[in-house]
Amino acid sequence: MKITLLGTATSQGIPVIGCDCATCISDDPRDKRLRCAALVEGDNHTLVIDVGPDFRAQMLRADVKDLDAVLLTHEHNDHVIGLDDLRPFIFRRRTPMRIYAEQRVLDEIKERFKYAFEEHAYPGAPKFELLPIHPGDTLEYGDMRITALRVHHGRLPILAFKINQLAYLTDTKTIPQTTLNQIQDIDVLILDALRREQHHSHNTLDEAIAQSKAVKADKTYLIHMSHILGPTASWEQDLPAGVYPSYDGLSFEF
Ligand SMILES: [Zn+2]
Ligand SMILES: [Zn+2]
Ligand SMILES: [Zn+2]
């Protein structure tokens, strides 16, 4: 099983349009970050976690030819607004794309992509099969066993996903005990770390490090960074053993 981090930035991406801070002008390729999403490839199936505004560029860059389904963590635009760009996959297969998310998120998608759900939708509109899931639900795609997990994005309850021995948690502020138990001692933890300063709905760098310790993951990769955190080279040395900065295109077997 293989995961590829397609994007690793917070909602504005890095560089931020018009910004000339040290991160945004950095020539370290790791500091060019698209919005967060991940590609998961098993023996015979390919899934994507979140479909943000950079989805098209991400699919081209990773040379993805086919997708079986989409898992959505939550309804914020940086995680869903690229859904229209699923059309090439939908047209090629001639079947609606399966979208797994919580009912609240699916309702929001019906609002934001209203044209896709009209009775007489125009022929070029995407077609989605909306499939509600709840924390604790398990899906099987070939050799992938996916469990939906609950995490809290400030006051918003959202989903995270455990796929075999990997857990993907984005936009996290607190991890409930039930979820901690489900991912305890996991091989790989992917977790967000926005910046050093407090934020009402995202982990700071220190909070992410503390959560990684609580989970006792073998390896933790940090995602969803803001340009405010600074260039990767300015903070990576502060990470304890087993915690690593991620970058777009980072790919490994698990
Ligand atoms: Zn900047
Ligand atoms: Zn969010
Ligand atoms: Zn986000």
Side-chain angles (χ1 to χ4, degrees):
M1 196 123 352
K2 190 170 112 178
I3 187 163
T4 304
L5 300 181
L6 302 168
T8 55
T10 190
S11 59
Q12 294 188 72
I14 299 177
V16 171
I17 296 172
C19 184
D20 54 9
C21 78
T23 317
C24 291
I25 64 165
S26 162
D27 53 18
D28 184 341
R30 295 178 301 172
D31 292 324
K32 309 283 179 234
R33 300 183 187 273
L34 299 177
R35 270 59 69 90
C36 274
L39 182 73
V40 187
E41 296 165 278
D43 282 345
N44 299 305
H45 297 276
T46 304
L47 305 183
V48 71
I49 304 177
D50 289 337
V51 178
D54 297 314
F55 182 72
R56 177 175 174 275
Q58 291 166 332
M59 291 299 98
L60 291 172
R61 188 188 274 183
D63 195 23
V64 182
K65 302 270 196 270
D66 192 30
L67 269 187
D68 292 283
V70 167
L71 307 170
L72 296 179
T73 57
H74 66 301
E75 64 272 44
H76 287 162
N77 254 7
D78 56 323
H79 298 263
V80 303
I81 204 62
L83 287 173
D84 191 79
D85 279 326
L86 286 165
R87 287 181 299 150
F89 299 115
I90 298 167
F91 296 160
R92 206 167 300 132
R93 277 197 179 196
R94 297 170 200 270
T95 53
M97 181 60 74
R98 277 177 254 177
I99 312 279
Y100 294 97
E102 291 190 87
Q103 189 62 54
R104 179 196 77 228
V105 176
L106 298 177
D107 290 344
E108 190 57 45
I109 284 164
K110 281 189 224 159
E111 283 295 313
R112 246 176 275 175
F113 297 89
K114 215 172 194 153
Y115 58 90
F117 298 95
E118 278 165 3
E119 207 181 320
H120 301 289
Y122 68 89
K127 286 193 171 67
F128 304 126
E129 183 184 359
L130 302 182
L131 299 159
I133 49 171
H134 309 90
D137 286 357
T138 293
L139 309 169
E140 308 240 357
Y141 273 87
D143 53 347
M144 290 183 231
R145 186 180 164 84
I146 304 147
T147 305
L149 308 170
R150 169 65 77 221
V151 295
H152 294 278
H153 183 18
R155 283 191 302 192
L156 189 68
I158 68 167
L159 292 184
F161 298 99
K162 179 181 175 188
I163 303 170
N164 299 6
Q165 273 305 301
L166 175 142
Y168 184 92
L169 278 60
T170 189
D171 295 51
T172 311
K173 185 68 179 178
T174 46
I175 307 176
Q177 191 58 49
T178 330
T179 300
L180 277 176
N181 296 342
Q182 286 166 296
I183 61 174
Q184 198 62 221
D185 300 314
I186 200 149
D187 292 352
V188 184
L189 174 66
I190 295 171
L191 181 66
D192 61 308
L194 187 74
R195 61 188 194 192
R196 290 183 194 271
E197 300 79 12
Q198 272 300 320
H199 189 277
H200 66 98
S201 64
H202 286 279
N203 284 332
T204 63
L205 187 61
D206 285 346
E207 287 167 342
I209 291 168
Q211 287 178 347
S212 156
K213 261 191 202 134
V215 171
K216 298 193 188 79
D218 287 349
K219 287 184 175 180
T220 299
Y221 293 92
L222 303 178
I223 58 167
H224 214 284
M225 272 76 76
S226 163
H227 65 145
I228 297 169
L229 183 57
T232 309
S234 73
W235 51 268
E236 64 180 332
Q237 74 280 356
D238 298 341
L239 303 178
V243 182
Y244 309 96
S246 71
Y247 52 88
D248 288 17
L250 175 65
S251 185
F252 53 85
E253 301 278 338
F254 65 96

